[in-house]
Amino acid sequence: MRQSELFTKTLKEAPREEEAVNARLLAQAGFVDKTMAGVYSFLPLGLRVLKNVERIVREEMTCIGGEEILMPSLQPKANWQTTGRWETVDDLFKFTSFYSRSDLVLGGTHEEIIAPLVKKFLLSYRDLPRAIFQIQTKFRDEKRPKSGLLRGREFVMKDLYSFHENEADLDRYYEKAKRAYQKIFRRAGIAKKTYLTYASGGTFSQYSHEFQTITPAGEDTIFICSGCRVAINKEIAGSDPACPVCGRKELDSQNTIEVGNIFKLKDKFSKPFGLRFKTAEGEEKDVLMGCYGLGLNRLIGTIVEVSHDDRGIIWPESVAPFRFHLLEFKKGIGQALYRKLTSSGASVLYDDRAVSAGEKFADADLIGLPWRIVVSEKTGSKMEVKSRKSKKSQLVNYDFIRKLG
Ligand code: ATP
Ligand code: MG
């Protein structure tokens, strides 16, 4: 894409009111625009990142047998009364339809929709197990939506729900989902800073598991056991935290953000909706459920929190909006290379704007694409290439660049 054709531009400065690094960099570099607290537009560059993250998450969910659907954001009050959560969920957006006078919910999660939905199709043990997911916008009336993409009042979440005939099968699938999450975080480049964290299991299980990433912007505190490479959330650790796996007490306390959460719901939602199945012996039993959430906006915000420097974002190759940032220092001198690269399938942002070299360099660092290529009168038939992660550039020929992308 030609940078001159982007309708958005980088900003001279980060928006003053934004405190979180992810919000400052993503807004300044032109990935997102804030409409109001906790509500953002994704601009062309930002949407490409969102689609990349979505692709990774979708691939891994499909890999563990997930079937994709799309459930509604508008939900009836009755479903939330069935589970008792109409009264208890404090961040639920509720409102009344003008014409029908019915009370509605703007969905912040979808157990209240998926359980009665699956009930319509699930009859016997032969229909189990099942895993169903969606990637969809959630609404939550957050008290403090102040950390950019980390905490929105409107945000994209992947939520998967699994359905099982017994606990052994739920446990087996839960472990599989855990591994899929770890794979997502490896692919998104945050695995090194992300810890499987033991958290509250609610009324039904001893633990649930969160995936917590170390960042000063995080609102959670976890205690990490370096031996087991797991952590325990402060919320359940009490005054004398110990590793939930090995019992060790020398733990490292860190500020973190929860990027994902997996939870054994068991019969919490099947019971109120009467989601039952017939066993091989003809007996009726409650279906057991698991739920697996992952915030896409939050994942993007987390990537920026862990991968940036004082000049801008450093995108991992897997989610970068483009692989190459081609800068030309004389009008039109990069055109032939741009055509050659794009026709060979490489993704390129071509800075063909009539602005100074200094401005192009600064924008390239701010936007943070993995490879910067410079062509000028000085580089001749060669090009200067530099990884966003390193300080050194090198003069190379076309073949070298082709191999990068
Ligand atoms: P938190 O404790 O941070 O509020 P939560 O426990 O409410 O999170 P879940 O209900 O488990 O979160 O939601 C699943 C996932 O959705 C989270 O792991 C997180 O990645 C994401 N998420 C939750 N709330 C938000 C939000 N306000 N903005 C962006 N992502 C969110
Ligand atoms: Mg919450």
Side-chain angles (χ1 to χ4, degrees):
M1 163 161 222
R2 286 170 182 272
Q3 206 166 331
S4 61
E5 286 172 6
L6 270 178
F7 88 88
T8 59
K9 295 184 175 47
T10 56
L11 312 178
K12 287 259 163 337
E13 280 171 37
R16 229 158 256 166
E17 78 282 3
E18 295 281 25
E19 284 170 35
V21 170
N22 77 89
R24 295 175 65 80
L25 289 176
L26 287 165
Q28 194 185 348
F31 287 79
V32 301
D33 175 72
K34 181 152 95 176
T35 302
M36 57 180 163
V39 179
Y40 289 86
S41 289
F42 277 84
L43 304 176
L45 293 176
L47 187 61
R48 290 180 76 102
V49 176
L50 183 62
K51 297 270 177 210
N52 287 339
V53 167
E54 204 177 300
R55 180 176 37 77
I56 293 174
V57 171
R58 178 174 286 118
E59 281 172 12
E60 296 306 331
M61 291 302 104
T62 307
C63 217
I64 56 168
E67 273 184 273
E68 187 168 0
I69 62 169
L70 186 59
M71 289 182 272
S73 292
L74 273 186
Q75 307 177 358
K77 176 184 183 178
N79 293 39
W80 288 79
Q81 284 176 314
T82 302
T83 59
R85 293 210 291 183
W86 174 261
E87 264 85 37
T88 57
V89 174
D90 53 10
D91 60 11
L92 202 58
F93 274 112
K94 305 168 177 174
F95 62 102
T96 306
S97 155
F98 180 77
Y99 290 108
S100 70
R101 305 312 302 161
S102 54
D103 289 330
L104 300 173
V105 165
L106 218 39
T109 177
H110 280 73
E111 285 84 0
E112 273 76 1
I113 303 298
I114 191 100
L117 165 66
V118 167
K119 188 182 172 181
K120 294 179 186 168
F121 300 98
L122 195 156
L123 304 167
S124 84
Y125 69 96
R126 286 188 209 91
D127 301 316
L128 292 168
R130 287 275 160 210
I132 303 171
F133 77 101
Q134 64 172 349
I135 295 175
Q136 193 239 21
T137 303
K138 300 278 189 266
F139 300 86
R140 291 186 184 180
D141 200 358
E142 296 281 355
K143 205 186 268 166
R144 282 182 291 275
K146 61 167 179 59
S147 316
L149 294 195
L150 299 182
R151 188 172 296 287
R153 289 191 289 170
E154 172 178 331
F155 59 95
V156 182
M157 194 204 285
K158 182 283 302 171
D159 43 331
L160 181 137
Y161 304 88
S162 70
F163 304 85
H164 309 273
E165 41 181 315
N166 54 43
E167 287 211 21
D169 197 55
L170 170 59
D171 293 349
R172 181 192 56 79
Y173 191 81
Y174 189 84
E175 292 308 313
K176 208 160 141 180
K178 204 186 264 176
R179 289 192 295 274
Y181 269 59
Q182 282 160 338
K183 203 153 160 221
I184 290 170
F185 301 131
R186 271 203 301 280
R187 291 181 67 180
I190 59 164
K192 271 196 197 138
K193 294 209 165 177
T194 302
Y195 286 83
L196 178 72
T197 303
Y198 288 66
S200 162
T203 357
F204 295 92
S205 294
Q206 190 185 5
Y207 295 116
S208 71
H209 292 90
E210 298 167 343
F211 294 86
Q212 295 272 4
T213 307
I214 298 175
T215 155
E219 295 170 13
D220 289 358
T221 303
I222 65 167
F223 299 109
I224 299 170
C225 171
S226 58
C228 302
R229 225 198 164 275
V230 301
I232 183 160
N233 194 313
K234 188 181 176 184
E235 282 172 8
I236 62 158
S239 57
D240 191 21
C243 171
V245 177
C246 72
R248 183 156 140 174
K249 300 220 174 214
E250 303 78 48
L251 305 177
D252 176 26
S253 160
Q254 291 283 355
N255 252 9
T256 51
I257 181 81
E258 174 202 313
V259 283
N261 184 358
I262 60 176
F263 209 99
K264 290 177 190 169
L265 297 169
K266 301 197 177 171
D267 61 6
K268 182 171 174 187
F269 292 92
S270 353
K271 262 217 177 7
F273 287 105
L275 173 58
R276 296 166 72 72
F277 74 102
K278 260 210 178 71
T279 66
E281 294 75 38
E283 192 189 340
E284 276 224 343
K285 274 189 163 172
D286 292 318
V287 172
L288 300 184
M289 289 175 62
C291 74
Y292 314 81
L294 195 155
L296 272 57
N297 302 36
R298 188 175 284 186
L299 178 55
I300 294 170
T302 303
I303 293 169
V304 175
E305 292 288 337
V306 303
S307 186
H308 68 270
D309 60 19
D310 51 6
R311 287 168 298 153
I313 304 171
I314 305 172
W315 288 111
E317 309 218 352
S318 57
V319 301
F322 295 93
R323 192 172 183 84
F324 296 110
H325 205 160
L326 171 58
L327 278 48
E328 65 177 14
F329 288 166
K330 183 184 172 207
K331 189 81 200 142
I333 201 170
Q335 191 144 304
L337 179 58
Y338 173 62
R339 291 222 182 94
K340 216 162 142 182
L341 277 170
T342 46
S343 64
S344 74
S347 79
V348 186
L349 181 62
Y350 169 28
D351 192 348
D352 58 339
R353 299 171 304 161
V355 301
S356 72
E359 200 168 320
K360 290 192 182 193
F361 277 139
D363 275 357
D365 282 341
L366 180 61
I367 292 170
L369 304 185
W371 297 100
R372 187 187 78 192
I373 306 170
V374 172
V375 284
S376 66
E377 278 175 318
K378 268 196 279 179
T379 56
S381 64
K382 299 214 166 186
M383 34 228 106
E384 187 194 288
V385 63
K386 187 183 97 58
S387 155
R388 177 66 181 83
K389 283 187 249 176
S390 90
K391 290 211 160 65
K392 275 222 301 277
S393 61
Q394 46 183 146
L395 213 53
V396 301
N397 55 26
Y398 178 74
D399 278 351
F400 183 94
I401 289 179
R402 266 312 294 137
K403 286 194 191 112
L404 297 174

